[in-house]
Amino acid sequence: MQAQEPETPAKLVKDTDWIVEELAVRLGGNDVNHKELVNTFGPLTHRKERFLCRWLEKGKAIEMVREIEQDSEQGKQTQRTYMVCRYDPNKNLFVQTMTLEGKSGPGIDLSWDRKTSRLEAAKSLPEPVGATVELSFKWTGNKTLKGDHKIIQGDKALFHEVITGKKIKTVANDQEFEQLKASILRK
């Protein structure tokens, strides 16, 4: 009987199951709440988000449609976004592109902390000068989402919200997905 060779770092890097797992955790229908704790840009608001997610390329890329509703001084507002997320081995990041109401928007690169199963992103913003956005979120048990979204300038939080959510369907309804996707991309 031969002893098994321990896994080497090179062998772990080639293991792509974790990539599929990270992408797959978002599949289905999801309800998400955003509760603002700090907002120096305006009044504190509560937003509800619903997003549907399915495979664009099984095991390699997901596509998502997102609908956010929030109350504002102008009444109830709805914003729809189409996103694609795939792993880029050259950057060692999950690259997420966005189309907001028919217009390409700024994407975001997400790093994956395999020990904590948490996605994280940070990037500089053009406005306000010197500010960065920080985002982190984690799915637990493939059913619940917990996250944090901040805009920081120096050591001051200009915006901070906590994100909570739950999976309501394990598979996205294709007809509903296509209708939302078409309404976003045709604008």
Side-chain angles (χ1 to χ4, degrees), residues 1-95:
M1 186 163 140
Q2 285 186 338
Q4 280 192 325
E5 229 178 274
E7 289 190 341
T8 63
K11 195 173 187 180
L12 290 174
V13 170
K14 289 181 182 180
D15 173 21
T16 58
D17 289 349
W18 65 275
I19 296 169
V20 175
E21 285 176 34
E22 188 291 317
L23 291 170
V25 76
R26 296 190 251 174
L27 296 174
N30 306 275
D31 281 343
V32 181
N33 289 302
H34 299 260
K35 182 180 179 189
E36 292 179 6
L37 305 176
V38 174
N39 187 347
T40 62
F41 305 108
L44 295 177
T45 60
H46 178 261
R47 296 182 291 152
K48 288 190 94 42
E49 173 183 354
R50 182 174 72 97
F51 74 89
L52 304 174
C53 180
R54 66 181 184 185
W55 288 114
L56 178 63
E57 190 178 349
K58 187 149 185 163
K60 295 184 179 182
I62 54 174
E63 62 179 340
M64 299 169 276
V65 288
R66 175 176 75 177
E67 192 170 55
I68 295 177
E69 289 184 352
Q70 77 179 28
D71 291 321
S72 73
E73 293 172 357
Q74 295 80 28
K76 188 175 278 274
Q77 293 184 324
T78 302
Q79 180 186 63
R80 293 183 179 96
T81 311
Y82 173 74
M83 297 172 280
V84 172
C85 186
R86 61 176 33 93
Y87 181 73
D88 182 334
N90 296 324
K91 291 182 175 182
N92 193 28
L93 295 168
F94 288 91
V95 176

Side-chain angles (χ1 to χ4, degrees), residues 24-30 53 142-143 167-173:
V25 76
R26 296 190 251 174
L27 296 174
N30 306 275
C53 180
N142 197 20
K143 292 184 171 55
K167 186 168 296 295
I168 54 171
K169 296 179 188 173
T170 56
V171 177
N173 177 302

